[in-house]
Amino acid sequence: MTILQAISSLVLCLFALPSVAAHGYLAYLGIVDGQSYTNYTGNVPNADPSPSVIRQVSDISPVKGASNPDLNCGLNAQFAQKVASANPGDLLVFDWRGGDNTNWPHNTGPMLTYMTSCGSSDCTQYNSSSSKWFKIAEIGIVTNATSNGSPVWAQQSVMNGAFTNVTLPSTISPGNYLIRHEIIALHLATELGGAEFYPACSQVKVGGSQTGMAKDSEMVLLPGAYTDTDPGIYDPDVYSSNSYTFPGPPIATFVSASASSSGSSSSSSTSSATSPASTGSTSGSSSSSGVQSVCKLQRRTQSSAESVARRSLKHSSHLPLGIQESHQQKGLRLHSLWGDLVTTFSALRLGGLEIAKGGQSAMY
Ligand SMILES: [Cu+2]
């Protein structure tokens, strides 16, 4: 993107601030476990909640300020009623949406994934405000700036309609966990306090019999791990510099170890994806191995049928924020979501999944 485009998108965002489109939330969590795929629906912020595994937040607006208590799990995050099942090595698929259910509206800044143990009980009543979190993944700049363009971040593909996925560490110990996936939008981070934090916590029970755990020294409080002056949070050069310093701790070493020892089969989800060229700060080795566990899935191939479906969906869903979509609308959207995933998996050639590529055209 050119400087001009960067400026114009910044200006657009500033003008768009009062609109619901300017911010967003984690709308879905998908879990791919071997042959099976489970999609968990999140609640629209502040809507009358349905049982979910994603902790509902009160607004699509960002958390502002690195010491804001809402940095923990998002604005006024509420316990969720359900718990997702997952196993070590599963693919976690995050689907972020804008507040009016269009694409995620931002393109600048990193995405980071943390986990914390809920202890011996499930996470449905677990207060994580003083919990210790460890980082399992982070992704930032994927294409360096050119002489006439800003660097491109992985977040750009989310804005373009992609899912973001993260591999659950293949050696992680079984137990009850919160998975905190966070987008930090840096389009205003040229000013102190301008960064927008979007954390989202999902409640998961991890099975298996692995033994991987983070060290005490790798665990942090949230808030607590960031300050407003961190170079990755207050970043005056965000539109021009190719170097980026991820905030927070390094990726836990057991995650890096499992990523490098898992061989070719589990690296398939990353090898065919865009290869990220992010410049991690923490240490060369930990940032590069962490990036390996993250890749982007192309969500939108935009067949014309889908465009029509989406357009009509958009027309029929001109509802103020807080009103839940009808069953029919949800069905239509899930339908297209599944189509997207079929495309995605075919494109990524995920090992065990045998999904015919032709399936997609039959859906519409
Ligand atoms: Cu926003």
Side-chain angles (χ1 to χ4, degrees):
M1 135 161 64
T2 65
I3 297 289
L4 195 63
Q5 283 170 320
I7 290 169
S8 62
S9 62
L10 175 63
V11 170
L12 269 176
C13 186
L14 287 172
F15 279 118
L17 279 180
S19 135
V20 294
H23 309 302
Y25 69 106
L26 179 63
Y28 299 92
L29 167 69
I31 298 184
V32 183
D33 180 3
Q35 300 283 339
S36 71
Y37 164 71
T38 310
N39 188 46
Y40 298 95
T41 306
N43 282 292
V44 170
N46 212 34
D48 195 13
S50 302
S52 175
V53 306
I54 303 173
R55 293 192 170 182
Q56 185 184 25
V57 295
S58 60
D59 200 278
I60 57 168
S61 296
V63 177
K64 297 299 293 275
S67 54
N68 187 328
D70 284 337
L71 196 77
N72 193 254
C73 277
L75 293 175
N76 289 305
Q78 302 294 311
F79 296 148
Q81 292 180 40
K82 297 203 294 187
V83 174
S85 295
N87 283 299
D90 282 0
L91 194 67
L92 309 171
V93 181
F94 299 94
D95 186 0
W96 287 84
R97 301 287 177 98
D100 54 0
N101 205 31
T102 55
N103 286 4
W104 174 251
H106 301 301
N107 65 358
T108 305
M111 296 183 277
L112 312 96
T113 312
Y114 295 84
M115 293 178 71
T116 193
S117 168
C118 299
S120 51
S121 306
D122 72 29
C123 294
T124 53
Q125 303 285 320
Y126 182 72
N127 181 339
S128 56
S129 60
S130 56
S131 202
K132 293 296 197 80
W133 301 82
F134 54 94
K135 192 186 272 177
I136 62 164
E138 60 194 2
I139 189 167
I141 294 170
V142 292
T143 307
N144 283 342
T146 58
S147 52
N148 59 353
S150 294
V152 178
W153 299 74
Q155 195 181 151
Q156 177 70 56
S157 6
V158 183
M159 186 195 241
N160 295 347
F163 296 112
T164 298
N165 74 29
V166 172
T167 302
L168 202 54
S170 60
T171 60
I172 192 167
S173 300
N176 304 294
Y177 291 98
L178 285 177
I179 298 174
R180 178 183 178 278
H181 191 249
E182 174 182 40
I183 296 181
I184 305 181
L186 295 178
H187 55 290
L188 303 176
T190 50
E191 305 286 341
L192 194 61
E196 299 186 348
F197 302 92
Y198 297 91
C201 292
S202 302
Q203 302 171 170
V204 176
K205 184 178 184 64
V206 176
S209 54
Q210 299 292 317
T211 56
M213 291 173 122
K215 301 173 194 160
D216 280 351
S217 62
E218 297 168 333
M219 309 240 254
V220 296
L221 292 167
L222 288 164
Y226 302 165
T227 67
D228 288 318
T229 52
D230 283 351
I233 290 174
Y234 168 51
D235 192 351
D237 299 325
V238 69
Y239 290 110
S240 57
S241 173
N242 291 324
S243 98
Y244 179 71
T245 305
F246 287 100
I251 289 165
T253 46
F254 87 94
V255 179
S256 319
S258 61
S260 54
S261 65
S262 55
S264 59
S265 60
S266 71
S267 66
S268 61
S269 64
T270 56
S271 56
S272 53
T274 315
S275 132
S278 80
T279 48
S281 56
T282 44
S283 80
S285 58
S286 70
S287 66
S288 62
S289 56
V291 161
Q292 272 184 355
S293 66
V294 185
C295 71
K296 292 163 289 142
L297 309 181
Q298 282 308 124
R299 185 168 69 208
R300 299 296 174 202
T301 49
Q302 287 288 17
S303 69
S304 57
E306 187 188 13
S307 313
V308 171
R310 292 189 83 208
R311 233 174 290 133
S312 62
L313 173 62
K314 216 173 152 187
H315 272 293
S316 60
S317 63
H318 271 183
L319 303 171
L321 186 73
I323 296 186
Q324 287 191 300
E325 62 196 333
S326 73
H327 215 70
Q328 193 183 12
Q329 288 167 335
K330 190 173 281 179
L332 178 58
R333 195 147 49 76
L334 288 176
H335 199 67
S336 88
L337 184 75
W338 177 244
D340 296 336
L341 281 166
V342 169
T343 309
T344 294
F345 293 153
S346 306
L348 287 175
R349 287 180 219 96
L350 278 182
L353 281 163
E354 296 289 335
I355 300 173
K357 198 162 189 174
Q360 197 201 10
S361 51
M363 292 202 135
Y364 300 106

